[in-house]
Amino acid sequence: MSFTLPRQIVDVTDAARAQPAPAVPTLHEPFTSRLADPDTDAAMIADWMSRPHLADTWDRDFGAQRWRDHLAAQRDGTYSRPMIVSDNGEPILYAEVYRPAQDVIAHLYDAEPGDIGIHLAMADPGRGHRGTLHALVGPFILGLLAREPDCRRILVDPEASNVAACSAAERFGGVSLGDHDLLGHRIRLYCIAIERGDTDTGETAYAGAQVTHRGDSA
């Protein structure tokens, strides 16, 4: 029996369907990133997702076998890629990088095929308090953009009640597209607009975005 990814939509444009799977960003020491392996990483991720700070926000507190199926389903398609980020060789973060034009958030704003969505889950919330997440997000975005030349917008959708996550999205240039009810959660959708610099220098920056959003924004 096939495994259904809970946020993926299948009624998408040909242009959205033609997009390749999101790339794995290239990071610099002390950080590294790689694809999550369904066989060797499922138990670790299942343990992380059972922790209170992630169980409440991700709704993925299920066993290793279901996580194995979830990771394999992502790697079998082009909608999303599961990733592990390590700090000096120690796995510290699970990431899902996905195509918003193939995701339920496409119903909330005018998605473009090259848009990229990011979900990040820090295994140890204490690392976030110590600044590890803040130190990682910028390089993660830039490393991703270096491998996604068509990306002009990055979407993030933290819980609207998560003040720290919303503040972080705004700190990295996110502009709110409103609060929305999505799959049992009240999320705040943010768009980070990408400014591509001179292709010879490879300079890239992100700034506020102005895009049309839909639904019941507050």
Side-chain angles (χ1 to χ4, degrees), residues 22-23 25 96-101 105 109-120 137-148 150-158 169-170 172-177 188-196 204-211:
E96 289 183 356
V97 179
Y98 64 97
R99 299 288 182 190
I105 64 169
Y109 83 111
D110 292 330
E112 296 178 357
D115 292 350
I116 289 287
I118 301 175
H119 292 139
L120 302 177
V137 171
F140 189 92
I141 291 175
L142 291 176
L144 183 61
L145 293 175
R147 302 199 61 198
E148 290 284 346
D150 294 333
C151 179
R152 294 295 182 271
R153 299 185 299 183
I154 290 177
L155 282 297
V156 294
D157 57 359
E170 293 165 6
F172 284 96
V175 171
S176 174
L177 305 184
R188 183 164 297 158
L189 184 62
Y190 285 95
C191 181
I192 303 171
I194 308 306
E195 295 180 352
R196 295 287 184 175
T204 301
Y206 28 94
Q210 292 185 357
V211 297

CSV table of all heavy atoms in Angstrom, one decimal, residues 22-23 25 96-101 105 109-120 137-148 150-158 169-170 172-177 188-196 204-211:
chain,number,residue,atom,x,y,z
A,22,PRO,N,13.7,19.2,-4.6
A,22,PRO,CA,14.5,20.2,-4.0
A,22,PRO,C,15.9,19.7,-3.7
A,22,PRO,O,16.1,18.5,-3.4
A,22,PRO,CB,13.8,20.5,-2.7
A,22,PRO,CG,12.4,20.2,-2.9
A,22,PRO,CD,12.4,19.0,-3.8
A,23,ALA,N,16.9,20.6,-3.8
A,23,ALA,CA,18.3,20.2,-3.7
A,23,ALA,C,18.7,20.2,-2.2
A,23,ALA,O,18.0,20.8,-1.3
A,23,ALA,CB,19.2,21.2,-4.4
A,25,PRO,N,21.2,21.5,0.5
A,25,PRO,CA,22.1,22.6,0.5
A,25,PRO,C,23.5,22.2,0.9
A,25,PRO,O,23.7,21.2,1.6
A,25,PRO,CB,21.5,23.5,1.6
A,25,PRO,CG,20.7,22.6,2.5
A,25,PRO,CD,20.2,21.6,1.5
A,96,GLU,N,12.6,19.4,6.3
A,96,GLU,CA,11.9,19.0,5.1
A,96,GLU,C,11.9,20.3,4.2
A,96,GLU,O,11.4,21.3,4.6
A,96,GLU,CB,10.5,18.6,5.4
A,96,GLU,CG,10.5,17.2,6.1
A,96,GLU,CD,9.1,16.7,6.4
A,96,GLU,OE1,8.1,17.4,6.1
A,96,GLU,OE2,9.0,15.5,6.9
A,97,VAL,N,12.5,20.1,3.0
A,97,VAL,CA,12.5,21.1,2.0
A,97,VAL,C,11.6,20.7,0.9
A,97,VAL,O,11.7,19.6,0.4
A,97,VAL,CB,13.9,21.4,1.5
A,97,VAL,CG1,13.9,22.5,0.4
A,97,VAL,CG2,14.9,21.8,2.6
A,98,TYR,N,10.6,21.5,0.5
A,98,TYR,CA,9.5,21.1,-0.3
A,98,TYR,C,9.1,22.1,-1.3
A,98,TYR,O,9.6,23.3,-1.3
A,98,TYR,CB,8.3,20.6,0.5
A,98,TYR,CG,7.7,21.8,1.3
A,98,TYR,CD1,6.5,22.5,0.8
A,98,TYR,CD2,8.2,22.2,2.5
A,98,TYR,CE1,6.0,23.5,1.5
A,98,TYR,CE2,7.6,23.2,3.2
A,98,TYR,CZ,6.5,23.9,2.7
A,98,TYR,OH,5.9,24.9,3.4
A,99,ARG,N,8.3,21.7,-2.3
A,99,ARG,CA,7.8,22.6,-3.3
A,99,ARG,C,6.4,23.1,-2.9
A,99,ARG,O,5.4,22.3,-3.0
A,99,ARG,CB,7.7,21.8,-4.7
A,99,ARG,CG,9.0,21.3,-5.2
A,99,ARG,CD,9.9,22.4,-5.7
A,99,ARG,NE,11.1,21.9,-6.3
A,99,ARG,CZ,12.1,22.7,-6.6
A,99,ARG,NH1,12.0,24.0,-6.4
A,99,ARG,NH2,13.3,22.2,-7.1
A,100,PRO,N,6.3,24.4,-2.5
A,100,PRO,CA,5.0,24.9,-2.1
A,100,PRO,C,3.9,24.8,-3.2
A,100,PRO,O,2.7,24.6,-2.9
A,100,PRO,CB,5.2,26.3,-1.8
A,100,PRO,CG,6.7,26.3,-1.4
A,100,PRO,CD,7.3,25.3,-2.3
A,101,ALA,N,4.3,24.8,-4.5
A,101,ALA,CA,3.3,24.7,-5.5
A,101,ALA,C,2.6,23.3,-5.6
A,101,ALA,O,1.6,23.1,-6.2
A,101,ALA,CB,3.9,25.0,-6.9
A,105,ILE,N,-0.2,24.7,1.1
A,105,ILE,CA,-0.1,26.1,1.2
A,105,ILE,C,-0.3,26.8,-0.1
A,105,ILE,O,-0.5,28.0,-0.2
A,105,ILE,CB,1.2,26.6,1.9
A,105,ILE,CG1,2.4,26.3,1.0
A,105,ILE,CG2,1.3,26.1,3.3
A,105,ILE,CD1,3.7,26.9,1.5
A,109,TYR,N,-1.8,31.2,-1.1
A,109,TYR,CA,-1.1,32.3,-1.8
A,109,TYR,C,-0.9,31.9,-3.2
A,109,TYR,O,-1.1,30.7,-3.6
A,109,TYR,CB,0.2,32.6,-1.1
A,109,TYR,CG,1.4,31.8,-1.5
A,109,TYR,CD1,2.4,32.3,-2.2
A,109,TYR,CD2,1.5,30.4,-1.1
A,109,TYR,CE1,3.5,31.5,-2.6
A,109,TYR,CE2,2.5,29.7,-1.5
A,109,TYR,CZ,3.6,30.2,-2.2
A,109,TYR,OH,4.6,29.4,-2.6
A,110,ASP,N,-0.4,32.8,-4.1
A,110,ASP,CA,-0.2,32.5,-5.5
A,110,ASP,C,1.2,31.8,-5.7
A,110,ASP,O,2.2,32.5,-5.9
A,110,ASP,CB,-0.3,33.8,-6.3
A,110,ASP,CG,-1.7,34.3,-6.3
A,110,ASP,OD1,-2.6,33.5,-6.3
A,110,ASP,OD2,-1.9,35.6,-6.4
A,111,ALA,N,1.2,30.5,-5.5
A,111,ALA,CA,2.5,29.8,-5.6
A,111,ALA,C,3.0,29.8,-7.0
A,111,ALA,O,2.3,29.7,-8.0
A,111,ALA,CB,2.2,28.4,-5.1
A,112,GLU,N,4.4,29.8,-7.1
A,112,GLU,CA,5.1,29.7,-8.3
A,112,GLU,C,5.9,28.4,-8.3
A,112,GLU,O,6.3,27.9,-7.3
A,112,GLU,CB,6.0,30.9,-8.5
A,112,GLU,CG,5.2,32.2,-8.7
A,112,GLU,CD,6.1,33.4,-8.8
A,112,GLU,OE1,7.4,33.2,-8.8
A,112,GLU,OE2,5.6,34.5,-9.0
A,113,PRO,N,6.1,27.8,-9.5
A,113,PRO,CA,6.8,26.5,-9.5
A,113,PRO,C,8.1,26.5,-8.8
A,113,PRO,O,8.5,25.5,-8.2
A,113,PRO,CB,6.9,26.2,-11.0
A,113,PRO,CG,5.8,27.0,-11.6
A,113,PRO,CD,5.6,28.2,-10.8
A,114,GLY,N,8.9,27.6,-8.9
A,114,GLY,CA,10.2,27.6,-8.3
A,114,GLY,C,10.3,27.9,-6.9
A,114,GLY,O,11.4,27.9,-6.3
A,115,ASP,N,9.2,28.2,-6.2
A,115,ASP,CA,9.2,28.5,-4.8
A,115,ASP,C,9.7,27.3,-4.0
A,115,ASP,O,9.5,26.1,-4.4
A,115,ASP,CB,7.8,28.9,-4.3
A,115,ASP,CG,7.3,30.2,-4.9
A,115,ASP,OD1,8.1,30.9,-5.5
A,115,ASP,OD2,6.1,30.5,-4.7
A,116,ILE,N,10.3,27.6,-2.8
A,116,ILE,CA,10.8,26.6,-1.9
A,116,ILE,C,10.2,26.8,-0.6
A,116,ILE,O,10.1,27.9,-0.1
A,116,ILE,CB,12.3,26.6,-1.8
A,116,ILE,CG1,13.0,26.1,-3.1
A,116,ILE,CG2,12.8,25.8,-0.7
A,116,ILE,CD1,12.9,24.6,-3.4
A,117,GLY,N,9.7,25.7,0.1
A,117,GLY,CA,9.3,25.8,1.5
A,117,GLY,C,10.2,25.0,2.4
A,117,GLY,O,10.9,24.0,1.9
A,118,ILE,N,10.3,25.5,3.6
A,118,ILE,CA,11.3,24.9,4.6
A,118,ILE,C,10.6,24.6,5.9
A,118,ILE,O,9.9,25.5,6.4
A,118,ILE,CB,12.5,25.8,4.8
A,118,ILE,CG1,13.2,26.0,3.5
A,118,ILE,CG2,13.4,25.2,5.8
A,118,ILE,CD1,14.4,27.0,3.7
A,119,HIS,N,10.7,23.4,6.4
A,119,HIS,CA,10.4,23.1,7.8
A,119,HIS,C,11.6,22.6,8.5
A,119,HIS,O,12.3,21.7,8.0
A,119,HIS,CB,9.3,22.0,7.9
A,119,HIS,CG,8.0,22.5,7.3
A,119,HIS,ND1,7.2,21.6,6.5
A,119,HIS,CD2,7.3,23.6,7.4
A,119,HIS,CE1,6.1,22.3,6.2
A,119,HIS,NE2,6.1,23.5,6.7
A,120,LEU,N,11.9,23.2,9.7
A,120,LEU,CA,13.1,22.8,10.5
A,120,LEU,C,12.7,22.3,11.9
A,120,LEU,O,11.8,22.9,12.5
A,120,LEU,CB,14.0,24.0,10.6
A,120,LEU,CG,14.5,24.7,9.3
A,120,LEU,CD1,15.4,25.9,9.7
A,120,LEU,CD2,15.3,23.7,8.5
A,137,VAL,N,20.4,28.9,10.2
A,137,VAL,CA,19.4,29.2,9.2
A,137,VAL,C,19.9,30.0,8.0
A,137,VAL,O,19.6,29.7,6.9
A,137,VAL,CB,18.2,30.0,9.9
A,137,VAL,CG1,17.2,30.5,8.8
A,137,VAL,CG2,17.5,29.1,10.9
A,138,GLY,N,20.7,31.1,8.3
A,138,GLY,CA,21.2,31.8,7.2
A,138,GLY,C,22.0,31.0,6.2
A,138,GLY,O,21.8,31.0,5.0
A,139,PRO,N,23.1,30.3,6.7
A,139,PRO,CA,23.8,29.4,5.8
A,139,PRO,C,23.0,28.4,5.1
A,139,PRO,O,23.2,28.0,3.9
A,139,PRO,CB,24.9,28.8,6.7
A,139,PRO,CG,25.0,29.8,7.8
A,139,PRO,CD,23.7,30.4,8.0
A,140,PHE,N,22.0,27.8,5.8
A,140,PHE,CA,21.1,26.8,5.2
A,140,PHE,C,20.4,27.4,4.0
A,140,PHE,O,20.3,26.8,2.9
A,140,PHE,CB,20.1,26.3,6.2
A,140,PHE,CG,19.3,25.1,5.8
A,140,PHE,CD1,19.7,23.8,6.0
A,140,PHE,CD2,18.1,25.3,5.1
A,140,PHE,CE1,19.0,22.7,5.6
A,140,PHE,CE2,17.4,24.2,4.6
A,140,PHE,CZ,17.8,22.9,4.9
A,141,ILE,N,19.8,28.6,4.2
A,141,ILE,CA,19.1,29.3,3.1
A,141,ILE,C,20.0,29.6,1.9
A,141,ILE,O,19.7,29.3,0.7
A,141,ILE,CB,18.4,30.6,3.6
A,141,ILE,CG1,17.2,30.3,4.5
A,141,ILE,CG2,17.9,31.4,2.4
A,141,ILE,CD1,16.6,31.5,5.1
A,142,LEU,N,21.2,30.2,2.2
A,142,LEU,CA,22.1,30.5,1.1
A,142,LEU,C,22.7,29.2,0.4
A,142,LEU,O,22.8,29.2,-0.8
A,142,LEU,CB,23.3,31.3,1.7
A,142,LEU,CG,22.9,32.7,2.1
A,142,LEU,CD1,24.1,33.4,2.8
A,142,LEU,CD2,22.4,33.6,1.0
A,143,GLY,N,22.9,28.2,1.2
A,143,GLY,CA,23.4,26.9,0.6
A,143,GLY,C,22.3,26.3,-0.3
A,143,GLY,O,22.6,25.7,-1.3
A,144,LEU,N,21.1,26.5,0.1
A,144,LEU,CA,20.0,26.0,-0.7
A,144,LEU,C,19.8,26.8,-2.0
A,144,LEU,O,19.7,26.2,-3.1
A,144,LEU,CB,18.7,26.0,0.1
A,144,LEU,CG,17.4,25.5,-0.5
A,144,LEU,CD1,17.6,24.0,-0.8
A,144,LEU,CD2,16.2,25.7,0.4
A,145,LEU,N,19.9,28.1,-1.8
A,145,LEU,CA,19.7,29.0,-3.0
A,145,LEU,C,20.8,28.8,-4.0
A,145,LEU,O,20.6,28.9,-5.2
A,145,LEU,CB,19.7,30.4,-2.6
A,145,LEU,CG,18.4,30.8,-1.8
A,145,LEU,CD1,18.6,32.3,-1.3
A,145,LEU,CD2,17.1,30.7,-2.5
A,146,ALA,N,22.0,28.4,-3.6
A,146,ALA,CA,23.1,28.2,-4.5
A,146,ALA,C,22.8,27.0,-5.4
A,146,ALA,O,23.4,26.9,-6.5
A,146,ALA,CB,24.4,27.9,-3.7
A,147,ARG,N,22.0,26.1,-4.9
A,147,ARG,CA,21.6,24.9,-5.7
A,147,ARG,C,20.2,25.0,-6.3
A,147,ARG,O,19.8,24.0,-7.0
A,147,ARG,CB,21.8,23.6,-4.8
A,147,ARG,CG,23.2,23.5,-4.3
A,147,ARG,CD,23.4,22.1,-3.8
A,147,ARG,NE,23.3,21.2,-4.9
A,147,ARG,CZ,23.2,19.8,-4.8
A,147,ARG,NH1,23.1,19.3,-3.5
A,147,ARG,NH2,23.1,19.1,-5.8
A,148,GLU,N,19.5,26.1,-6.1
A,148,GLU,CA,18.2,26.3,-6.6
A,148,GLU,C,18.1,27.6,-7.4
A,148,GLU,O,17.6,28.6,-6.9
A,148,GLU,CB,17.2,26.3,-5.5
A,148,GLU,CG,16.9,24.9,-4.8
A,148,GLU,CD,16.1,24.0,-5.6
A,148,GLU,OE1,15.4,24.5,-6.6
A,148,GLU,OE2,16.0,22.8,-5.3
A,150,ASP,N,16.4,28.8,-9.7
A,150,ASP,CA,15.1,29.3,-10.1
A,150,ASP,C,14.3,29.8,-9.0
A,150,ASP,O,13.2,30.4,-9.2
A,150,ASP,CB,14.3,28.3,-10.9
A,150,ASP,CG,15.0,27.9,-12.2
A,150,ASP,OD1,15.7,28.7,-12.8
A,150,ASP,OD2,14.7,26.8,-12.7
A,151,CYS,N,14.8,29.6,-7.7
A,151,CYS,CA,14.0,30.0,-6.6
A,151,CYS,C,14.1,31.5,-6.4
A,151,CYS,O,15.2,32.1,-6.3
A,151,CYS,CB,14.6,29.3,-5.3
A,151,CYS,SG,13.7,29.8,-3.8
A,152,ARG,N,12.9,32.2,-6.3
A,152,ARG,CA,12.8,33.6,-6.0
A,152,ARG,C,12.1,33.9,-4.7
A,152,ARG,O,12.0,35.0,-4.2
A,152,ARG,CB,12.1,34.3,-7.1
A,152,ARG,CG,12.9,34.3,-8.4
A,152,ARG,CD,14.2,35.1,-8.3
A,152,ARG,NE,14.9,35.2,-9.6
A,152,ARG,CZ,15.8,34.3,-10.0
A,152,ARG,NH1,16.1,33.2,-9.2
A,152,ARG,NH2,16.4,34.4,-11.1
A,153,ARG,N,11.5,32.8,-4.1
A,153,ARG,CA,10.8,33.0,-2.8
A,153,ARG,C,10.9,31.8,-2.0
A,153,ARG,O,10.8,30.6,-2.5
A,153,ARG,CB,9.3,33.3,-3.1
A,153,ARG,CG,9.0,34.6,-3.9
A,153,ARG,CD,7.6,34.9,-4.0
A,153,ARG,NE,6.8,33.9,-4.8
A,153,ARG,CZ,5.5,34.0,-5.0
A,153,ARG,NH1,4.9,35.1,-4.7
A,153,ARG,NH2,4.9,33.0,-5.7
A,154,ILE,N,11.1,32.0,-0.7
A,154,ILE,CA,11.1,30.9,0.3
A,154,ILE,C,9.9,31.1,1.2
A,154,ILE,O,9.6,32.2,1.7
A,154,ILE,CB,12.4,30.8,1.1
A,154,ILE,CG1,13.5,30.4,0.2
A,154,ILE,CG2,12.3,29.9,2.3
A,154,ILE,CD1,14.9,30.4,0.8
A,155,LEU,N,9.1,30.0,1.5
A,155,LEU,CA,7.9,30.0,2.3
A,155,LEU,C,8.2,29.3,3.6
A,155,LEU,O,8.8,28.2,3.6
A,155,LEU,CB,6.7,29.4,1.6
A,155,LEU,CG,6.0,30.3,0.6
A,155,LEU,CD1,5.4,31.5,1.2
A,155,LEU,CD2,6.9,30.6,-0.6
A,156,VAL,N,7.8,29.8,4.7
A,156,VAL,CA,7.8,29.2,6.0
A,156,VAL,C,6.4,29.4,6.7
A,156,VAL,O,5.8,30.4,6.5
A,156,VAL,CB,8.9,29.6,6.9
A,156,VAL,CG1,10.3,29.3,6.4
A,156,VAL,CG2,8.9,31.1,7.2
A,157,ASP,N,6.0,28.4,7.5
A,157,ASP,CA,4.6,28.5,8.1
A,157,ASP,C,4.6,28.0,9.5
A,157,ASP,O,4.0,27.0,9.8
A,157,ASP,CB,3.6,27.8,7.2
A,157,ASP,CG,4.0,26.3,7.0
A,157,ASP,OD1,5.0,25.8,7.6
A,157,ASP,OD2,3.2,25.6,6.4
A,158,PRO,N,5.3,28.8,10.4
A,158,PRO,CA,5.3,28.4,11.8
A,158,PRO,C,3.9,28.5,12.5
A,158,PRO,O,3.0,29.2,11.9
A,158,PRO,CB,6.2,29.3,12.5
A,158,PRO,CG,6.1,30.6,11.6
A,158,PRO,CD,6.0,30.0,10.2
A,169,ALA,N,11.4,34.2,11.6
A,169,ALA,CA,11.0,34.3,10.2
A,169,ALA,C,11.1,35.8,9.7
A,169,ALA,O,11.6,36.1,8.6
A,169,ALA,CB,9.6,33.8,9.9
A,170,GLU,N,10.7,36.7,10.6
A,170,GLU,CA,10.7,38.1,10.3
A,170,GLU,C,12.2,38.6,10.3
A,170,GLU,O,12.5,39.5,9.4
A,170,GLU,CB,9.9,38.9,11.3
A,170,GLU,CG,8.4,38.6,11.1
A,170,GLU,CD,7.6,39.1,12.3
A,170,GLU,OE1,8.1,39.7,13.2
A,170,GLU,OE2,6.3,38.8,12.4
A,172,PHE,N,14.7,37.1,9.3
A,172,PHE,CA,15.3,36.6,8.1
A,172,PHE,C,14.6,37.2,6.8
A,172,PHE,O,14.8,36.6,5.7
A,172,PHE,CB,15.4,35.1,8.0
A,172,PHE,CG,16.5,34.6,8.9
A,172,PHE,CD1,16.3,34.1,10.2
A,172,PHE,CD2,17.9,34.6,8.5
A,172,PHE,CE1,17.3,33.6,11.0
A,172,PHE,CE2,18.9,34.1,9.3
A,172,PHE,CZ,18.6,33.6,10.5
A,173,GLY,N,13.8,38.2,7.0
A,173,GLY,CA,13.2,38.9,5.9
A,173,GLY,C,11.8,38.4,5.5
A,173,GLY,O,11.3,38.8,4.5
A,174,GLY,N,11.2,37.6,6.3
A,174,GLY,CA,9.9,37.1,6.0
A,174,GLY,C,8.8,38.1,6.2
A,174,GLY,O,8.8,38.9,7.2
A,175,VAL,N,7.9,38.2,5.2
A,175,VAL,CA,6.8,39.1,5.3
A,175,VAL,C,5.5,38.2,5.5
A,175,VAL,O,5.3,37.3,4.8
A,175,VAL,CB,6.6,40.0,4.0
A,175,VAL,CG1,5.3,40.7,4.0
A,175,VAL,CG2,7.8,40.9,3.9
A,176,SER,N,4.7,38.6,6.5
A,176,SER,CA,3.5,37.8,6.8
A,176,SER,C,2.5,37.9,5.7
A,176,SER,O,2.1,38.9,5.3
A,176,SER,CB,2.9,38.2,8.2
A,176,SER,OG,1.7,37.5,8.4
A,177,LEU,N,2.0,36.7,5.3
A,177,LEU,CA,0.9,36.6,4.4
A,177,LEU,C,-0.4,36.2,5.2
A,177,LEU,O,-1.4,35.7,4.6
A,177,LEU,CB,1.1,35.6,3.3
A,177,LEU,CG,2.4,35.8,2.5
A,177,LEU,CD1,2.5,34.8,1.4
A,177,LEU,CD2,2.5,37.2,2.0
A,188,ARG,N,1.0,30.8,10.6
A,188,ARG,CA,1.3,32.2,10.1
A,188,ARG,C,2.2,32.0,8.9
A,188,ARG,O,3.4,31.4,9.0
A,188,ARG,CB,1.9,33.1,11.1
A,188,ARG,CG,2.1,34.5,10.5
A,188,ARG,CD,2.4,35.5,11.7
A,188,ARG,NE,1.2,35.6,12.5
A,188,ARG,CZ,1.2,36.0,13.8
A,188,ARG,NH1,2.3,36.3,14.4
A,188,ARG,NH2,0.1,36.0,14.5
A,189,LEU,N,1.8,32.3,7.7
A,189,LEU,CA,2.5,32.1,6.5
A,189,LEU,C,3.4,33.3,6.2
A,189,LEU,O,3.0,34.4,6.2
A,189,LEU,CB,1.6,31.8,5.3
A,189,LEU,CG,2.2,31.5,4.0
A,189,LEU,CD1,3.0,30.2,4.1
A,189,LEU,CD2,1.1,31.4,2.9
A,190,TYR,N,4.7,33.0,6.0
A,190,TYR,CA,5.7,34.0,5.7
A,190,TYR,C,6.3,33.7,4.3
A,190,TYR,O,6.6,32.6,4.0
A,190,TYR,CB,6.8,34.0,6.7
A,190,TYR,CG,6.4,34.6,8.1
A,190,TYR,CD1,6.0,33.8,9.1
A,190,TYR,CD2,6.5,36.0,8.3
A,190,TYR,CE1,5.7,34.4,10.4
A,190,TYR,CE2,6.2,36.6,9.5
A,190,TYR,CZ,5.8,35.7,10.5
A,190,TYR,OH,5.5,36.3,11.8
A,191,CYS,N,6.6,34.8,3.6
A,191,CYS,CA,7.3,34.7,2.4
A,191,CYS,C,8.6,35.5,2.4
A,191,CYS,O,8.6,36.7,2.9
A,191,CYS,CB,6.5,35.3,1.2
A,191,CYS,SG,7.2,35.1,-0.4
A,192,ILE,N,9.7,34.9,2.1
A,192,ILE,CA,11.0,35.6,2.0
A,192,ILE,C,11.4,35.7,0.6
A,192,ILE,O,11.6,34.8,-0.1
A,192,ILE,CB,12.1,34.8,2.8
A,192,ILE,CG1,11.7,34.5,4.2
A,192,ILE,CG2,13.5,35.5,2.7
A,192,ILE,CD1,12.6,33.5,4.9
A,193,ALA,N,11.4,37.0,0.1
A,193,ALA,CA,11.8,37.2,-1.3
A,193,ALA,C,13.3,37.2,-1.5
A,193,ALA,O,14.1,37.7,-0.7
A,193,ALA,CB,11.2,38.6,-1.7
A,194,ILE,N,13.7,36.6,-2.6
A,194,ILE,CA,15.1,36.4,-2.9
A,194,ILE,C,15.5,37.5,-3.9
A,194,ILE,O,14.9,37.6,-5.0
A,194,ILE,CB,15.4,35.0,-3.4
A,194,ILE,CG1,14.8,34.0,-2.5
A,194,ILE,CG2,16.9,34.8,-3.6
A,194,ILE,CD1,15.2,34.1,-1.1
A,195,GLU,N,16.6,38.1,-3.6
A,195,GLU,CA,17.2,39.0,-4.6
A,195,GLU,C,18.5,38.4,-5.1
A,195,GLU,O,19.5,38.3,-4.4
A,195,GLU,CB,17.5,40.4,-3.9
A,195,GLU,CG,16.3,41.1,-3.5
A,195,GLU,CD,16.6,42.5,-2.8
A,195,GLU,OE1,17.8,42.7,-2.6
A,195,GLU,OE2,15.7,43.2,-2.5
A,196,ARG,N,18.5,38.0,-6.4
A,196,ARG,CA,19.7,37.4,-7.0
A,196,ARG,C,20.7,38.5,-7.4
A,196,ARG,O,20.3,39.5,-8.1
A,196,ARG,CB,19.3,36.6,-8.2
A,196,ARG,CG,18.4,35.4,-7.9
A,196,ARG,CD,19.2,34.3,-7.2
A,196,ARG,NE,18.4,33.1,-6.9
A,196,ARG,CZ,18.8,32.0,-6.5
A,196,ARG,NH1,20.1,31.9,-6.1
A,196,ARG,NH2,18.0,31.0,-6.3
A,204,THR,N,23.8,36.7,-3.3
A,204,THR,CA,22.4,36.5,-3.1
A,204,THR,C,21.9,37.1,-1.8
A,204,THR,O,22.6,36.9,-0.8
A,204,THR,CB,22.0,35.0,-3.2
A,204,THR,OG1,22.4,34.4,-4.4
A,204,THR,CG2,20.5,34.8,-3.1
A,205,ALA,N,20.8,37.7,-1.8
A,205,ALA,CA,20.2,38.2,-0.6
A,205,ALA,C,18.7,38.0,-0.5
A,205,ALA,O,18.1,37.6,-1.5
A,205,ALA,CB,20.5,39.7,-0.5
A,206,TYR,N,18.2,38.1,0.7
A,206,TYR,CA,16.7,38.0,0.8
A,206,TYR,C,16.1,39.2,1.4
A,206,TYR,O,16.7,39.8,2.3
A,206,TYR,CB,16.3,36.7,1.4
A,206,TYR,CG,17.2,36.1,2.5
A,206,TYR,CD1,17.1,36.4,3.8
A,206,TYR,CD2,18.2,35.3,2.1
A,206,TYR,CE1,17.9,35.9,4.7
A,206,TYR,CE2,19.1,34.7,3.0
A,206,TYR,CZ,18.9,35.0,4.3
A,206,TYR,OH,19.8,34.5,5.2
A,207,ALA,N,14.9,39.6,1.0
A,207,ALA,CA,14.3,40.8,1.5
A,207,ALA,C,12.8,40.6,1.6
A,207,ALA,O,12.3,39.5,1.3
A,207,ALA,CB,14.6,42.0,0.6
A,208,GLY,N,12.0,41.6,2.0
A,208,GLY,CA,10.6,41.4,2.1
A,208,GLY,C,9.9,41.2,0.8
A,208,GLY,O,10.4,41.6,-0.3
A,209,ALA,N,8.8,40.5,0.8
A,209,ALA,CA,8.1,40.1,-0.4
A,209,ALA,C,6.7,40.8,-0.4
A,209,ALA,O,6.1,41.1,0.6
A,209,ALA,CB,7.9,38.6,-0.5
A,210,GLN,N,6.2,41.0,-1.6
A,210,GLN,CA,4.8,41.5,-1.8
A,210,GLN,C,4.1,40.6,-2.7
A,210,GLN,O,4.4,40.6,-3.9
A,210,GLN,CB,4.8,43.0,-2.3
A,210,GLN,CG,5.3,44.0,-1.3
A,210,GLN,CD,5.2,45.4,-1.8
A,210,GLN,OE1,4.8,45.6,-2.9
A,210,GLN,NE2,5.6,46.3,-1.0
A,211,VAL,N,3.4,39.6,-2.2
A,211,VAL,CA,2.7,38.7,-3.0
A,211,VAL,C,1.2,38.6,-2.6
A,211,VAL,O,0.9,39.0,-1.4
A,211,VAL,CB,3.3,37.3,-3.0
A,211,VAL,CG1,4.7,37.3,-3.5
A,211,VAL,CG2,3.3,36.7,-1.6
